[in-house]
Amino acid sequence: MGITSKRLRHRSLTAMGRGIRAECPTAELALSVRVRPFIEVNERCAASHLTAAELLNLPRRRQKGASEMYDIIRPEGAAHLNRPHVIVHRMKLYDDEVTVLDGIPVTTPERTWLDMAEMLSVDELVAMGDSCVRVPRPELEGRDQPLCGVADLQRMIDRHKGKRGLRKAKEAIRLIRVGSDSPQETLLRLAIVRAGLPEPALNVPIFSEDGRRHHEPVLSYRQYRIGIEYEGEHHGDGLQIERDIARSERYSALGWTEVRISRRHMLNDGKEAVAKVRSALVQAGWRPGR
């Protein structure tokens, strides 16, 4: 590329390891740009674990102070790799468990999900699994197919016997559902079910008696005509407030009960959220054990 040896040795460049130099600062560069050199200078490597989850835009636990550490996987039997800024995972890796994203090898969503079982809680793993199998909205995301299916996640479990985190993965896959649009929705659903309440439907549209399709509650009980809405931080926006008021009016016109849940209701394992949902169910005629 016409870069001289003298330029590569210049103090203005930061040495990131043998063969890799960076013009500081690198923080504003996309993750795919930052991690690419560490994969290209080493054969048979792919981004994995937290790095793959971020590249795939999967929900994950945020790591503090680890922005310059990259997870890379190498197959069993490959030479040991010791580089700064890289966490190397040497483990069994099949060819169909690596895909190409932004021009670099990355573990597939299903393999990334299984690898993350080593470090996530069961609920976090369910949220990641829900994100993998959800059907995207083409008008917003530019794709119409899920990242993978539940069967793909199960195939990873069946293929990697004895892998760390496998017990959590087996517990999580029983709780994964198609239809959740966010980790908050997943955590709310899990809190409701674990409290002994009926499992709600996910993002199913409401139809009026004349067959007209209306909005889709985040969670709902059609039998009891209850819709549950999770309101994130963007619901403080003026236009969003107007939309929320209009939505509440539609609930009333359709004869449905709206249960609004916010972030504060999800504190303390979601006990306040569960109490609101239970109250609405009881008022609608539900009884425990029915």
Side-chain angles (χ1 to χ4, degrees):
M1 297 180 66
I3 300 174
T4 65
S5 298
K6 182 178 179 180
R7 170 61 176 152
L8 290 176
R9 293 193 299 270
H10 198 276
R11 291 181 180 180
S12 64
L13 299 181
T14 300
M16 306 292 287
R18 183 170 56 87
I20 303 174
R21 300 291 184 272
E23 288 185 303
C24 295
T26 61
E28 65 268 19
L29 296 176
L31 176 61
S32 59
V33 176
R34 301 199 311 270
V35 73
R36 181 194 302 273
F38 295 95
I39 295 175
E40 289 186 343
V41 299
N42 299 289
E43 295 180 352
R44 303 178 68 192
C45 285
S48 68
H49 294 73
L50 278 168
T51 302
E54 186 172 349
L55 288 168
L56 292 164
N57 199 29
L58 295 175
R60 62 212 172 271
R61 185 185 307 157
R62 293 189 177 276
Q63 302 291 305
K64 295 182 178 179
S67 59
E68 291 302 319
M69 295 298 295
Y70 309 112
D71 288 285
I72 290 179
I73 192 169
R74 300 197 91 187
E76 283 181 335
H80 179 70
L81 177 62
N82 184 18
R83 272 186 174 273
H85 309 286
V86 169
I87 301 172
V88 181
H89 306 268
R90 297 172 73 228
M91 54 184 64
K92 187 179 294 182
L93 181 68
Y94 295 89
D95 290 342
D96 64 354
E97 294 173 2
V98 176
T99 187
V100 176
L101 184 67
D102 293 333
I104 61 174
V106 180
T107 50
T108 59
E110 57 267 32
R111 176 57 197 260
T112 301
W113 175 81
L114 183 63
D115 287 336
M116 291 300 292
E118 300 177 12
M119 56 192 71
L120 297 182
S121 67
V122 171
D123 283 7
E124 290 170 330
L125 203 55
V126 175
M128 180 176 284
D130 279 2
S131 183
C132 285
V133 304
R134 63 178 286 273
V135 178
R137 302 173 189 267
E139 67 278 9
L140 299 176
E141 302 168 65
R143 61 184 179 93
D144 58 6
Q145 295 297 316
L147 295 176
C148 67
V150 176
D152 296 312
L153 301 179
Q154 184 63 56
R155 181 165 54 88
M156 292 296 101
I157 291 175
D158 297 338
R159 175 183 279 182
H160 293 278
K161 305 292 186 183
K163 193 177 189 304
R164 286 181 58 190
L166 199 63
R167 182 179 298 178
K168 282 190 288 184
K170 289 179 178 179
E171 183 178 349
I173 199 168
R174 293 195 295 268
L175 300 169
I176 290 172
R177 301 289 184 271
V178 176
S180 181
D181 276 343
S182 73
Q184 292 77 20
E185 294 176 23
T186 295
L187 297 178
L188 176 56
R189 171 176 62 85
L190 293 176
I192 289 171
V193 172
R194 285 176 178 155
L197 303 181
E199 182 165 344
L202 306 175
N203 288 290
V204 175
I206 296 174
F207 289 90
S208 53
E209 293 182 359
D210 60 5
R212 289 178 58 199
R213 175 177 173 145
H214 296 269
H215 63 284
E216 301 176 3
V218 168
L219 306 172
S220 63
Y221 297 101
R222 182 177 180 182
Q223 177 184 352
Y224 299 103
R225 301 175 77 84
I226 295 173
I228 305 167
E229 303 287 355
Y230 185 90
E231 309 199 339
E233 296 177 1
H234 71 285
H235 283 261
D237 174 76
L239 289 177
Q240 186 61 50
I241 291 174
E242 292 182 10
R243 287 192 287 265
D244 290 344
I245 292 173
R247 185 191 65 200
S248 297
E249 292 171 346
R250 287 197 301 273
Y251 268 112
S252 298
L254 292 166
W256 278 57
T257 299
E258 179 186 34
V259 179
R260 302 175 71 173
I261 304 297
S262 67
R263 184 177 178 180
R264 71 175 178 84
H265 295 118
M266 293 302 296
L267 300 175
N268 196 19
D269 296 325
K271 289 183 179 179
E272 284 191 48
V274 169
K276 292 189 70 172
V277 175
R278 180 184 285 111
S279 176
L281 281 168
V282 170
Q283 289 181 24
W286 172 81
R287 296 294 181 271
R290 177 175 296 183

